[in-house]
Amino acid sequence: GAGVSQTPSNKVTEKGKYVELRCDPISGHTALYWYRQSLGQGPEFLIYFQGTGAADDSGLPNDRFFAVRPEGSVSTLKIQRTERGDSAVYLCASSLTASGPDGYTFGSGTRLTVV
Amino acid sequence: SQQGEEDPQALSIQEGENATMNCSYKTSINNLQWYRQNSGRGLVHLILIRSNEREKHSGRLRVTLDTSKKSSSLLITASRAADTASYFCATDWGSGGYQKVTFGIGTKLQVIP
Protein backbone atom coordinates (compact mmCIF):
# COMPACT_ATOMS: atom_id res chain seq x y z
CA GLY A 1 0.00 0.00 0.00
CA ALA A 2 0.89 3.65 -0.18
CA GLY A 3 1.38 4.04 3.54
CA VAL A 4 1.33 2.21 6.83
CA SER A 5 -2.22 1.20 7.70
CA GLN A 6 -3.38 0.55 11.25
CA THR A 7 -6.72 -0.88 12.25
CA PRO A 8 -8.87 -0.18 14.08
CA SER A 9 -8.28 3.55 14.43
CA ASN A 10 -10.07 3.51 17.77
CA LYS A 11 -10.77 0.68 20.17
CA VAL A 12 -12.68 0.82 23.42
CA THR A 13 -12.54 -2.29 25.55
CA GLU A 14 -13.43 -3.32 29.06
CA LYS A 15 -10.78 -4.00 31.64
CA GLY A 16 -9.71 -7.63 31.51
CA LYS A 17 -10.57 -8.17 27.86
CA TYR A 18 -8.23 -9.25 25.07
CA VAL A 19 -7.47 -6.96 22.12
CA GLU A 20 -5.63 -7.24 18.84
CA LEU A 21 -4.23 -4.28 16.97
CA ARG A 22 -3.23 -4.67 13.35
CA CYS A 23 -0.48 -3.02 11.33
CA ASP A 24 -0.11 -3.29 7.56
CA PRO A 25 3.30 -1.84 6.63
CA ILE A 26 4.47 -0.44 3.34
CA SER A 27 4.97 -3.25 0.85
CA GLY A 28 8.58 -4.37 0.79
CA HIS A 29 9.54 -2.81 4.11
CA THR A 30 11.41 -5.45 6.06
CA ALA A 31 11.61 -3.59 9.35
CA LEU A 32 8.51 -3.02 11.46
CA TYR A 33 8.25 -1.29 14.81
CA TRP A 34 5.56 -0.87 17.44
CA TYR A 35 5.49 2.13 19.73
CA ARG A 36 3.09 3.27 22.41
CA GLN A 37 2.35 6.91 23.13
CA SER A 38 0.62 8.21 26.22
CA LEU A 39 -0.88 11.68 26.39
CA GLY A 40 1.77 14.37 26.50
CA GLN A 41 4.62 11.93 26.03
CA GLY A 42 6.80 10.83 23.15
CA PRO A 43 6.43 7.43 21.53
CA GLU A 44 7.83 4.62 23.65
CA PHE A 45 9.46 1.66 21.92
CA LEU A 46 7.75 -1.71 22.31
CA ILE A 47 9.09 -4.19 19.75
CA TYR A 48 11.01 -4.40 16.48
CA PHE A 49 10.59 -7.02 13.76
CA GLN A 50 13.10 -7.82 11.06
CA GLY A 51 11.17 -9.97 8.62
CA THR A 52 9.17 -12.53 10.57
CA GLY A 53 11.23 -12.52 13.71
CA ALA A 54 11.10 -10.22 16.70
CA ALA A 55 14.67 -8.93 16.80
CA ASP A 56 14.12 -6.78 19.86
CA ASP A 57 11.15 -7.07 22.22
CA SER A 58 12.81 -5.33 25.13
CA GLY A 59 10.16 -2.61 25.21
CA LEU A 60 7.19 -4.86 25.87
CA PRO A 61 6.07 -3.86 29.38
CA ASN A 62 5.08 -7.33 30.58
CA ASP A 63 3.95 -10.75 29.41
CA ARG A 64 0.43 -9.54 28.70
CA PHE A 65 1.81 -7.97 25.54
CA PHE A 66 2.76 -10.06 22.54
CA ALA A 67 3.25 -9.34 18.84
CA VAL A 68 3.57 -11.47 15.74
CA ARG A 69 4.47 -11.00 12.11
CA PRO A 70 4.03 -14.49 10.67
CA GLU A 71 4.61 -13.75 7.00
CA GLY A 72 6.94 -10.81 7.31
CA SER A 73 4.36 -8.21 6.35
CA VAL A 74 1.26 -7.63 8.50
CA SER A 75 1.86 -7.52 12.23
CA THR A 76 -0.56 -7.93 15.11
CA LEU A 77 -0.01 -6.57 18.60
CA LYS A 78 -1.94 -8.60 21.15
CA ILE A 79 -2.77 -7.45 24.66
CA GLN A 80 -4.26 -9.88 27.16
CA ARG A 81 -6.20 -9.00 30.32
CA THR A 82 -6.17 -5.31 29.46
CA GLU A 83 -5.73 -2.77 32.23
CA ARG A 84 -6.71 0.90 32.35
CA GLY A 85 -3.02 1.79 32.25
CA ASP A 86 -2.80 0.23 28.78
CA SER A 87 -4.85 3.11 27.39
CA ALA A 88 -2.69 4.92 24.85
CA VAL A 89 -2.16 5.42 21.15
CA TYR A 90 -0.36 2.43 19.66
CA LEU A 91 1.78 3.40 16.69
CA CYS A 92 3.27 1.16 14.06
CA ALA A 93 6.12 2.18 11.79
CA SER A 94 8.03 0.51 9.00
CA SER A 95 11.25 1.18 7.15
CA LEU A 96 12.79 -0.25 4.03
CA THR A 97 15.76 -1.76 5.78
CA ALA A 98 16.80 -2.28 9.36
CA SER A 99 19.68 0.14 9.18
CA GLY A 100 18.42 2.47 6.52
CA PRO A 101 18.85 6.20 6.86
CA ASP A 102 15.42 7.19 5.68
CA GLY A 103 13.61 7.26 8.95
CA TYR A 104 10.37 5.55 9.72
CA THR A 105 7.00 5.81 8.06
CA PHE A 106 4.34 5.80 10.73
CA GLY A 107 0.73 4.75 10.58
CA SER A 108 -1.99 6.93 12.09
CA GLY A 109 -2.14 4.77 15.17
CA THR A 110 -4.80 2.93 17.13
CA ARG A 111 -6.22 4.79 20.10
CA LEU A 112 -6.92 2.15 22.75
CA THR A 113 -9.17 3.06 25.65
CA VAL A 114 -9.63 0.56 28.46
CA VAL A 115 -12.66 1.33 30.62
CA SER B 1 17.47 6.27 29.56
CA GLN B 2 18.50 7.25 26.04
CA GLN B 3 15.45 9.41 25.59
CA GLY B 4 16.13 12.84 24.18
CA GLU B 5 14.75 15.90 25.84
CA GLU B 6 13.29 18.73 23.82
CA ASP B 7 13.40 22.31 24.90
CA PRO B 8 11.17 24.24 25.16
CA GLN B 9 8.22 21.96 25.83
CA ALA B 10 5.87 24.55 24.37
CA LEU B 11 6.47 27.45 21.99
CA SER B 12 4.06 30.05 20.66
CA ILE B 13 5.10 32.43 17.87
CA GLN B 14 3.54 34.70 15.26
CA GLU B 15 3.28 33.59 11.66
CA GLY B 16 6.37 34.62 9.74
CA GLU B 17 8.70 34.33 12.71
CA ASN B 18 11.35 31.64 13.06
CA ALA B 19 10.89 28.77 15.50
CA THR B 20 13.84 27.07 17.17
CA MET B 21 13.56 23.82 19.10
CA ASN B 22 16.40 22.09 20.88
CA CYS B 23 17.07 18.48 21.74
CA SER B 24 19.61 17.02 24.15
CA TYR B 25 20.49 13.37 24.50
CA LYS B 26 22.65 11.22 26.72
CA THR B 27 24.89 8.79 24.88
CA SER B 28 26.57 8.34 21.50
CA ILE B 29 24.26 8.13 18.52
CA ASN B 30 24.34 6.93 14.93
CA ASN B 31 21.97 9.59 13.71
CA LEU B 32 19.29 11.94 14.93
CA GLN B 33 15.90 12.45 13.35
CA TRP B 34 13.16 15.03 13.72
CA TYR B 35 9.48 14.17 13.37
CA ARG B 36 6.28 16.18 13.35
CA GLN B 37 2.98 15.03 14.81
CA ASN B 38 -0.41 16.59 14.30
CA SER B 39 -3.25 15.95 16.73
CA GLY B 40 -1.55 13.11 18.59
CA ARG B 41 -1.64 10.58 15.77
CA GLY B 42 0.90 9.47 13.15
CA LEU B 43 4.33 11.03 13.06
CA VAL B 44 5.86 12.40 9.88
CA HIS B 45 9.58 12.10 9.29
CA LEU B 46 11.11 15.52 8.60
CA ILE B 47 14.86 15.15 8.43
CA LEU B 48 17.72 12.88 9.47
CA ILE B 49 21.20 14.06 10.34
CA ARG B 50 24.06 11.61 10.73
CA SER B 51 26.52 11.73 13.59
CA ASN B 52 29.30 12.92 11.26
CA GLU B 53 27.22 15.81 9.91
CA ARG B 54 26.93 19.20 11.56
CA GLU B 55 24.15 20.88 9.61
CA LYS B 56 21.45 19.90 7.18
CA HIS B 57 18.76 21.79 5.30
CA SER B 58 15.44 20.77 3.85
CA GLY B 59 13.19 23.53 2.55
CA ARG B 60 12.41 25.83 5.49
CA LEU B 61 14.01 23.41 7.94
CA ARG B 62 17.55 23.65 9.24
CA VAL B 63 18.94 21.07 11.61
CA THR B 64 22.23 21.30 13.46
CA LEU B 65 23.99 18.61 15.45
CA ASP B 66 26.72 19.09 18.04
CA THR B 67 27.91 15.67 19.15
CA SER B 68 30.35 17.15 21.65
CA LYS B 69 27.45 18.77 23.48
CA LYS B 70 25.04 15.92 22.65
CA SER B 71 22.51 18.37 21.31
CA SER B 72 20.60 19.23 18.17
CA SER B 73 18.41 22.08 17.09
CA LEU B 74 15.59 22.35 14.58
CA LEU B 75 14.94 25.74 13.03
CA ILE B 76 11.78 26.41 11.06
CA THR B 77 12.08 29.65 9.13
CA ALA B 78 9.19 31.89 8.09
CA SER B 79 6.71 29.85 10.08
CA ARG B 80 3.16 29.26 8.88
CA ALA B 81 -0.02 28.42 10.75
CA ALA B 82 0.18 24.95 9.19
CA ASP B 83 3.44 24.35 11.07
CA THR B 84 1.43 24.13 14.29
CA ALA B 85 2.18 20.64 15.62
CA SER B 86 4.32 18.74 18.10
CA TYR B 87 7.93 18.16 17.09
CA PHE B 88 10.00 15.24 18.36
CA CYS B 89 13.65 14.46 18.14
CA ALA B 90 14.54 10.78 17.89
CA THR B 91 17.98 9.36 18.50
CA ASP B 92 19.21 6.20 16.81
CA TRP B 93 21.72 4.53 19.10
CA GLY B 94 21.43 0.91 18.00
CA SER B 95 24.59 -1.16 17.77
CA GLY B 96 23.05 -4.40 16.56
CA GLY B 97 22.88 -3.47 12.91
CA TYR B 98 19.48 -1.88 13.10
CA GLN B 99 17.98 1.42 14.10
CA LYS B 100 17.05 1.57 17.78
CA VAL B 101 15.23 4.83 17.90
CA THR B 102 14.15 6.57 21.07
CA PHE B 103 11.91 9.63 21.06
CA GLY B 104 11.89 12.65 23.32
CA ILE B 105 8.75 14.11 24.86
CA GLY B 106 8.38 16.74 22.17
CA THR B 107 7.96 20.47 21.71
CA LYS B 108 4.43 21.72 21.11
CA LEU B 109 4.62 24.55 18.58
CA GLN B 110 1.76 26.97 18.03
CA VAL B 111 1.99 29.41 15.12
CA ILE B 112 -0.52 32.21 15.45
CA PRO B 113 -1.87 33.59 12.15
Side-chain angles (χ1 to χ4, degrees):
Chain A
V4 177
S5 175
Q6 290 189 247
T7 54
S9 57
N10 289 282
K11 176 72 176 177
V12 180
T13 190
E14 292 181 348
K15 179 175 176 291
K17 298 289 189 184
Y18 167 83
V19 296
E20 289 189 352
L21 311 179
R22 176 188 168 108
C23 173
D24 201 337
I26 291 174
S27 179
H29 278 196
T30 61
L32 184 146
Y33 307 80
W34 282 99
Y35 282 80
R36 176 171 74 172
Q37 186 176 23
S38 300
L39 191 63
Q41 301 295 312
E44 172 192 5
F45 170 79
L46 295 177
I47 188 169
Y48 153 67
F49 285 92
Q50 175 55 39
T52 60
D56 185 347
D57 64 358
S58 61
L60 295 178
N62 52 60
D63 61 7
R64 295 186 297 105
F65 288 75
F66 189 70
V68 295
R69 195 186 185 198
E71 297 179 358
S73 55
V74 171
S75 176
T76 304
L77 178 65
K78 307 180 181 192
I79 310 175
Q80 298 177 321
R81 304 183 304 280
T82 51
E83 300 177 355
R84 293 196 177 88
D86 299 335
S87 296
V89 176
Y90 288 81
L91 295 163
C92 176
S94 69
S95 61
L96 186 59
T97 64
S99 57
D102 302 321
Y104 297 170
T105 301
F106 277 87
S108 296
T110 293
R111 185 179 301 278
L112 176 67
T113 304
V114 182
V115 297
Chain B
S1 75
Q2 176 62 21
Q3 189 177 52
E5 293 184 5
E6 288 89 343
D7 169 54
Q9 291 190 21
L11 179 62
S12 183
I13 60 173
Q14 296 289 327
E15 198 167 33
E17 294 181 338
N18 295 341
T20 299
M21 290 159 270
N22 303 296
C23 169
S24 60
Y25 56 91
K26 297 178 182 176
T27 62
S28 296
I29 60 171
N30 300 316
N31 61 61
L32 186 144
Q33 306 173 40
W34 285 91
Y35 287 81
R36 185 181 77 189
Q37 185 178 44
N38 290 83
S39 304
R41 298 307 286 258
L43 289 88
V44 174
H45 180 254
L46 296 176
I47 197 166
L48 180 150
I49 186 165
R50 296 181 186 279
S51 60
N52 62 355
E53 297 176 312
R54 292 296 167 260
E55 187 170 313
K56 203 161 183 180
H57 297 253
S58 176
R60 294 184 296 113
L61 306 180
R62 182 172 78 103
V63 169
T64 62
L65 179 64
D66 187 334
T67 53
S68 67
K69 294 181 179 178
K70 294 187 171 58
S71 68
S72 173
S73 68
L74 171 67
L75 169 68
I76 304 174
T77 60
S79 64
R80 305 167 182 168
D83 295 328
T84 295
S86 291
Y87 291 81
F88 294 88
C89 72
T91 50
D92 169 16
W93 51 283
S95 59
Y98 71 93
Q99 297 179 18
K100 184 157 183 130
V101 174
T102 304
F103 288 81
I105 63 172
T107 292
K108 188 172 288 189
L109 173 66
Q110 181 184 28
V111 181
I112 302 167

